[in-house]
Each structure stands twice: as structure tokens, then as C-alpha cells.
Amino acid sequence: MAAVRGAATLAVGGAGAVLVWHVGYQTWKHGLCNAFLKSMLRKGSWTASLWHFWAMWDRSALMEDPTLTEQEKVQKDRNINGRYVRRTGEHHPPDKKDELRAEARAQTG
């Protein structure tokens, strides 16, 4: 029984290591580390940054989906934005986004 438990622990640990490597590789590959850093600096909270990261990831996949019409993409994008606003309470008016991005760039150099 101890051998089975040890093997299961090793398998779960190995899967965890692979997951950590995969996330790190994808973060590096897509330049997401800088995006996450800028998001944390702008938002001041790592949890809000995680919700922002998730919304950006979903939006990126949505825009590349060839099976959706433009109207479906707009609706799904609104749903993603609504989920983000509900989770974080943060809402940026479209006319202020350029200003916020400029401030984030200035903070990160």
C-alpha cells in the first residue's frame, strides 16, 4: 500500500512539475510576464491582475476563433468584460484606457 501511495504521490508531483513548466513556457512565449507585471503595477493587486490576465487570454482566443461570426465575438467579448468587472469591481471607460496604458508604461520603463 505504501508503494502505491508513493507512486501516486510521484505521479501527482510529476504532473505538477509539468504544469508549472508549461505555464512558465507559455508566459515566456507570449510575453505575458511583462503584461502581468504592468497589470499588477496598474491595479495594485495580484488577484485583480489574475482576473485581468484570464480575461486577456480568453479575449485572445476568442478573436482567433474562425468559427464565430463578428456578432458572436462581440457578445462573447462583452461577457468576458462583464465577468472581469463583476470579479474585480474595476471598470475603465474606453476613453481612459490609453491614459492608463501610458501610466503603466511609464512605471515599468
Side-chain angles (χ1 to χ4, degrees), residues 1-9:
M1 187 64 167
V4 172
R5 193 175 310 135
T9 301

Side-chain angles (χ1 to χ4, degrees), residues 38-93:
K38 287 177 185 178
S39 177
M40 278 185 59
L41 288 171
R42 189 171 64 237
K43 295 172 188 343
S45 160
W46 69 272
T47 53
S49 296
L50 286 176
W51 283 111
H52 184 238
F53 176 78
W54 184 14
M56 288 175 24
W57 189 276
D58 285 352
R59 184 171 287 130
S60 174
L62 171 70
M63 294 306 161
E64 293 174 5
D65 189 345
T67 63
L68 297 174
T69 66
E70 284 303 311
Q71 185 178 6
E72 290 171 321
K73 287 181 182 182
V74 167
Q75 183 58 44
K76 288 182 181 281
D77 188 43
R78 288 180 180 159
N79 291 342
I80 290 169
N81 189 50
R83 180 187 67 205
Y84 173 75
V85 171
R86 276 193 319 274
R87 296 288 184 189
T88 64
E90 184 177 307
H91 176 71
H92 300 301

Side-chain angles (χ1 to χ4, degrees), residues 4 33 48 101:
V4 172
C33 188
R101 288 184 182 121

